[in-house]
Amino acid sequence: MRPINKIIIQTVDIESIQALISKHLEEGMPMVGFHYMIGKDANCELGRPISIIGNHFIGENATSIGIVIIGKEISTQQASELDILIEEIKLRVPSVKDIFVFEDGKLKERK
């Protein structure tokens, strides 16, 4: 397993998980850049396996797990699913110590 010490969460204003996957493939990626994707309906789908380095945040991909939330703003249902997902990841990958959210052009520690 690669060394993983953080989770990075981002929102993407796009129509759907499938639209994001298609966009990444059209950009020449072999698969979607995120490890987990939470759709507008709050369902979570697996993107890249966490054993493969992501392509979601330049400079942090090698040591992070990328989670994307589809939509402009996070709904209550998406936030609940995110909390469950983070707890599951922390159980599977105990080396994860830090959780960041990408907002306003920079990484901020999640409270």
Side-chain angles (χ1 to χ4, degrees):
M1 176 74 101
R2 66 189 179 90
I4 300 169
N5 60 17
K6 70 182 82 60
I7 295 170
I8 298 176
I9 303 159
Q10 300 178 53
T11 59
V12 172
D13 187 16
I14 197 163
E15 186 59 34
S16 65
I17 288 174
Q18 189 55 52
L20 177 66
I21 293 169
S22 295
K23 181 178 185 285
H24 281 200
L25 294 176
E26 288 168 8
E27 291 172 351
M29 293 185 205
M31 64 184 78
V32 70
F34 295 93
H35 297 98
Y36 296 96
M37 302 168 289
I38 299 175
K40 289 181 178 179
D41 59 1
N43 284 328
C44 183
E45 292 188 27
L46 181 64
R48 286 184 187 217
I50 61 172
S51 60
I52 298 175
I53 293 174
N55 192 357
H56 55 88
F57 198 91
I58 294 172
E60 301 290 344
N61 291 322
T63 59
S64 66
I65 293 173
I67 300 173
V68 65
I69 301 171
I70 303 298
K72 227 177 214 178
E73 296 182 11
I74 300 172
S75 71
T76 304
Q77 294 86 356
Q78 287 173 315
S80 294
E81 183 63 26
L82 177 62
D83 289 340
I84 291 166
L85 176 59
I86 288 170
E87 290 308 311
E88 289 175 0
I89 291 170
K90 288 164 85 178
L91 288 172
R92 286 185 54 208
V93 188
S95 58
V96 168
K97 302 296 181 208
D98 298 312
I99 302 170
F100 295 96
V101 177
F102 183 66
E103 290 180 331
D104 304 321
K106 55 184 147 184
L107 284 182
K108 299 178 181 178
E109 198 158 354
R110 185 175 189 244
K111 298 172 182 164

